[in-house]
Amino acid sequence: MKRLFALVGKNISYSFSRAYFAEKFKKEHISDAEYVNFDLNCIGELPQKLQENPNIQGMNVTIPYKKEIISMLAKLDPISEQIGAVNTIKITKKGLVGYNTDHFGFSESLKPFLEQQHTKALILGTGGASNAVAYALKMLGISFRFVSRNPKMGQFSYADLSPQIIGKYKIIINCTPLGTFPNVEDFPPIPYQFLTSEHLLYDLIYNPEKTIFLQKGEKKNATIINGRKMLELQAEKAWEIWNTNPDED
C-alpha cells in the first residue's frame, strides 16, 4: 500500500498542492507515495477520513481549517504555537503533530527582493496566513502593522491609509482572498496612487498569476511578487517534515 498524503480544506478542487506533489512524485520517481484532497464540509469529518485511510502519513491544511485543526492535535511545534495556525501535520504513533511551513515559504521567497528601504510592512488581512507572515517579518527584523476592515487596537483600517502611511511602509502584503480566481476583478481597497518604484507588493495569491493588486503596483513601477514560490517552498518543507526521523515519533 502506498504512503498517503493529503490536503485538508474546503472547496479545494482548484488546489495547488495535489498537482504539485503529483508532478514531484513523477519527476523524482517517488512511486510509493500518493497525494489526495480531503475536501471537508467541517473539520469534524477529519477523524472519519483518517480511519478510512490507515496508510496516511502527513497532511497539509488550508483555509478554513488552519486554526480550527489545532484542537485535534496531540502536539504543536513551538513556532506554530506562536503563529496560532497550522498548515502541515505529521501523523505519528502518539497522534497528530502540527507545524507551520508558511512562514518559511514566505520568508525565503521575500528575501531576494528586499532592499534597504524595505524596513516597514503593511499586512492586509488578519487570517491564519497573515499570522505566519507577521512571524516571518519579525524574524527578518521588519516592523509591520495589520490593515483590517474591522481593525483592533494597533491596527489600521483601509480608510487610515494616508499618503504618509503608504510612503512610510514600503512593503505591502496581501493576505486577503481578494482577487483569487474566479473573482479576479476584486482587489484590496488601498490608495494605489501613492505607490512608487521603492515599494514592494507581495500577493499570497498565485491564481491568477498577476492579480489586479499586483497589476496596480506594477503600473507604479513597484516590485511585485505572487504566492507561487512561497507555496513551492512550504510544500518542500512539509515533505521534509513528513520524511524526517520517522522512528522518533
Side-chain angles (χ1 to χ4, degrees):
M1 195 186 277
K2 288 187 175 184
R3 297 183 295 146
L4 187 67
F5 301 92
L7 176 68
V8 177
K10 190 174 186 175
N11 303 327
I12 48 174
S13 54
Y14 67 87
S15 137
F16 159 90
S17 302
R18 188 169 60 175
Y20 181 82
F21 279 105
E23 182 62 24
K24 176 183 172 67
F25 295 162
K26 196 170 137 188
K27 208 164 56 191
E28 298 178 19
H29 308 293
I30 299 167
S31 56
D32 69 333
E34 189 186 356
Y35 195 101
V36 298
N37 282 353
F38 286 172
D39 208 325
L40 311 178
N41 288 314
C42 69
I43 199 66
E45 294 175 5
L46 184 60
Q48 178 71 25
K49 281 279 186 195
L50 296 178
Q51 221 171 347
E52 289 166 4
N53 296 280
N55 53 331
I56 186 122
Q57 295 195 0
M59 297 181 285
N60 291 121
V61 186
T62 188
I63 46 178
Y65 302 130
K66 287 186 182 191
K67 292 181 177 183
E68 280 186 40
I69 204 160
I70 292 175
S71 63
M72 307 179 87
L73 304 177
K75 192 177 163 198
L76 197 52
D77 142 89
I79 292 173
S80 317
E81 203 163 357
Q82 280 189 58
I83 292 171
V86 160
N87 78 322
T88 301
I89 287 175
K90 188 173 183 180
I91 298 179
T92 75
K93 289 171 192 148
K94 292 171 190 161
L96 308 182
V97 182
Y99 298 85
N100 189 301
T101 66
D102 278 338
H103 74 91
F104 172 82
F106 174 73
S107 181
E108 292 304 306
S109 58
L110 177 69
K111 277 181 194 172
F113 298 92
L114 291 175
E115 293 179 21
Q116 61 186 27
Q117 74 270 21
H118 297 140
T119 56
K120 290 178 183 292
L122 294 175
I123 302 175
L124 311 181
T126 53
S130 66
N131 294 8
V133 164
Y135 178 87
L137 292 173
K138 200 160 39 178
M139 293 299 106
L140 291 168
I142 295 169
S143 64
F144 58 87
R145 292 278 288 269
F146 287 102
V147 182
S148 173
R149 284 174 306 180
N150 306 298
K152 294 182 179 149
M153 182 81 81
Q155 298 179 350
F156 290 131
S157 73
Y158 285 95
D160 292 330
L161 300 179
S162 62
Q164 291 76 13
I165 288 172
I166 297 291
K168 209 195 297 187
Y169 290 82
K170 294 288 199 312
I171 304 174
I172 304 176
I173 304 138
N174 179 32
C175 297
T176 77
L178 292 171
T180 311
F181 180 84
N183 304 313
V184 296
E185 299 305 313
D186 295 345
F187 54 90
I190 67 167
Y192 295 92
Q193 66 270 30
F194 305 133
L195 297 176
T196 67
S197 59
E198 291 208 331
H199 281 87
L200 189 162
L201 267 60
Y202 192 124
D203 202 328
L204 265 56
I205 294 166
Y206 61 93
N207 181 14
E209 201 172 300
K210 204 184 279 182
T211 55
I212 290 182
F213 170 73
L214 293 181
Q215 288 174 40
K216 285 175 174 287
E218 193 174 42
K219 280 184 185 143
K220 293 290 184 178
N221 298 313
T223 301
I224 62 168
I225 315 168
N226 72 15
R228 177 89 196 181
K229 190 70 181 167
M230 172 181 170
L231 277 166
E232 290 172 0
L233 288 162
Q234 67 87 1
E236 288 301 326
K237 194 71 174 169
W239 183 247
E240 192 185 300
I241 288 167
W242 297 329
N243 290 282
T244 305
N245 305 329
D247 300 337
E248 289 177 14
D249 299 333

